[in-house]
Amino acid sequence: MKNKLFLVLALTLSTSPLWLVNKAQAQQAFAIAIHGGAGTIDKSKMTQEKRQAYESALKKARDTGYALLADGKSSQAAVIAAIQILEDSPLFNAGKGAVYTFDGEHELDASIMNGKTLNAGAVSGVKTVKSPIALAEAIMEESVHVMLSGEGAEVFANQQGLTLVENSYFNTDARFQSLLKAKKQLAEQEKELKDFQAAHQTLDNEYKFGTVGAVALDKSGTISAGTSTGGMTAKRFGRIGDAPIIGAGTYANNDSCAVSATGHGEYFIRYHVAADICARMQYQGLSLEKSADVVINDVLVKAGGSGGVIAIDTQGNITMPFNSSGMYRASKSSNGNEFVGIFKDDK
Ligand code: ASP
């Protein structure tokens, strides 16, 4: 009798795999984290009004991505949607509101990576593509390449039917004033140091930041990362930063983590920051938090590179370390945790 009962129970369970699948799905965590750049953010100049404007833009981007995840959409879709909101906001150095080059234009960089397929798309130095992150995704999905640059990338964007705009669409007065200030400082330093490159090194961190990015985990357990930026104020000679470089500014791998970086790009390239964080998890068995902390607060600090990252793993853990005075950031998880903040002591 006992054996019969056991058989019936075993048969019932084995013919009801849906029940098990549904339970697994219900338990799958999902989460998103976003950033709007790290840098020298002066607390004394952060009025209540300014803080509110930044925080409400961050929340809007975060909540838009989160709603897609809650709806069962992919982490890639959530990352793109969140970044596009930040690209459209003049507050951040990406899309509208991007910094000016030395010659008074805007040259935009972006990248996206999917942690399940390890597919990636990146674009550098485009001047007329309204949403560089959308172009990065199109390069990943629709081309046989990983990275396109400049005019060729714009031709491809046009072929893909992406929205093209005049370069002046990205103009904002605040960024223009920054360019004028930076150029004045550069001219003074160049006179003294007799070297443009050396003079450029002396530019304050406030000219180097403001990039936007997002990382997300979806209900299927896949993580993705994306980053979009105008780069550095007064950049010259077609300078490309870390944001479009897979492994430096963006990386995602379901075996470890997904990372989007912001900071002094030259250091993030040389120390392949995003991939290094994931490699430390994978090969050293460190937690997400520890891996990111070592790279940002030890390796980069010793090298003199300032900035930060947002990172997520397939369990839905999130960490957002930075070694600068602030980093615009926000996160939301299916476990009920949510955060928006700028400075280190924001809780
Ligand atoms: N990392 C970007 C760059 O170097 C700048 C930033 O994060 O704002 O282009």
Side-chain angles (χ1 to χ4, degrees):
M1 182 65 183
K2 244 187 185 171
N3 277 351
K4 250 193 189 163
L5 257 181
F6 181 76
L7 195 70
V8 170
L9 192 67
L11 268 174
T12 316
L13 280 178
S14 68
T15 52
S16 314
L18 264 184
W19 174 79
L20 291 172
V21 171
N22 284 343
K23 188 152 185 247
Q25 269 177 356
Q27 285 171 343
Q28 173 61 53
F30 57 95
I32 186 165
I34 63 167
H35 71 78
T40 317
I41 305 168
D42 190 344
K43 213 172 188 175
S44 65
K45 288 190 192 144
M46 183 57 67
T47 59
Q48 201 50 30
E49 226 183 348
K50 221 168 151 190
R51 183 187 263 272
Q52 259 168 17
Y54 276 104
E55 291 193 349
S56 85
L58 288 168
K59 277 188 198 160
K60 185 177 167 200
R62 176 197 68 185
D63 293 348
T64 301
Y66 186 83
L68 290 174
L69 296 170
D71 201 29
K73 300 286 189 309
S74 70
S75 54
Q76 189 181 314
V79 161
I80 298 281
I83 289 180
Q84 282 186 315
I85 285 174
L86 299 172
E87 283 181 338
D88 288 347
S89 163
L91 294 174
F92 303 98
N93 173 19
K96 175 122 192 117
V99 297
Y100 286 78
T101 63
F102 190 85
D103 296 324
E105 287 191 313
H106 308 277
E107 292 175 359
L108 311 171
D109 304 333
S111 66
I112 175 99
M113 185 162 185
N114 183 302
K116 182 179 180 189
T117 58
L118 299 192
N119 278 338
V123 58
S124 62
V126 284
K127 298 183 183 178
T128 62
V129 179
K130 183 168 181 257
S131 171
I133 195 68
L135 177 54
E137 187 183 40
I139 291 167
M140 167 164 118
E141 305 280 359
E142 309 297 337
S143 87
V144 293
H145 306 297
V146 169
M147 185 190 257
L148 299 181
S149 69
E151 278 175 33
E154 288 173 353
V155 171
F156 181 74
N158 195 21
Q159 276 181 10
Q160 290 297 312
L162 297 184
T163 307
L164 301 182
V165 291
E166 292 293 324
N167 194 249
S168 58
Y169 160 81
F170 303 108
N171 288 356
T172 51
D173 189 52
R175 298 292 183 200
F176 189 63
Q177 295 310 322
S178 284
L179 175 68
L180 297 183
K181 237 171 98 188
K183 282 181 89 160
K184 189 163 167 251
Q185 193 180 324
L186 277 173
E188 284 164 11
Q189 291 292 327
E190 205 176 344
K191 229 191 245 160
E192 207 175 304
L193 302 167
K194 314 236 169 322
D195 177 6
F196 176 79
Q197 301 301 332
H200 217 286
Q201 284 288 15
T202 69
L203 272 190
D204 301 340
N205 279 340
E206 68 176 276
Y207 298 113
K208 296 174 183 154
F209 301 111
T211 291
V212 309
V215 294
L217 164 68
D218 62 34
K219 285 182 181 175
S220 79
T222 285
I223 47 179
S224 298
T227 312
S228 181
T229 189
M232 238 178 188
T233 304
K235 64 185 181 180
R236 255 179 129 172
F237 313 117
R239 180 260 185 192
I240 306 291
D242 60 313
I245 296 182
I246 298 302
T250 301
Y251 195 71
N253 185 333
N254 279 3
D255 288 338
S256 49
C257 64
V259 179
S260 169
T262 168
H264 193 165
E266 280 67 12
Y267 288 87
F268 283 69
I269 295 172
R270 289 166 51 217
Y271 288 83
H272 60 112
V273 166
D276 190 25
I277 291 171
C278 296
R280 282 168 194 266
M281 273 186 84
Q282 198 171 348
Y283 304 135
Q284 291 189 303
L286 300 183
S287 68
L288 177 77
E289 194 183 353
K290 182 73 191 158
S291 302
D293 180 56
V294 171
V295 175
I296 298 301
N297 290 316
D298 186 36
V299 177
L300 272 187
V301 166
K302 283 179 185 150
S306 68
V309 294
I310 50 169
I312 195 166
D313 65 18
T314 51
Q315 307 304 305
N317 296 307
I318 286 174
T319 188
M320 304 190 278
F322 52 97
N323 62 31
S324 47
S325 65
M327 180 166 86
Y328 298 101
R329 62 201 190 282
S331 64
K332 191 167 181 169
S333 308
S334 56
N335 66 9
N337 288 345
E338 59 176 80
F339 173 86
V340 58
I342 302 167
F343 301 103
K344 287 232 159 90
D345 50 8
D346 287 339
K347 291 257 165 357

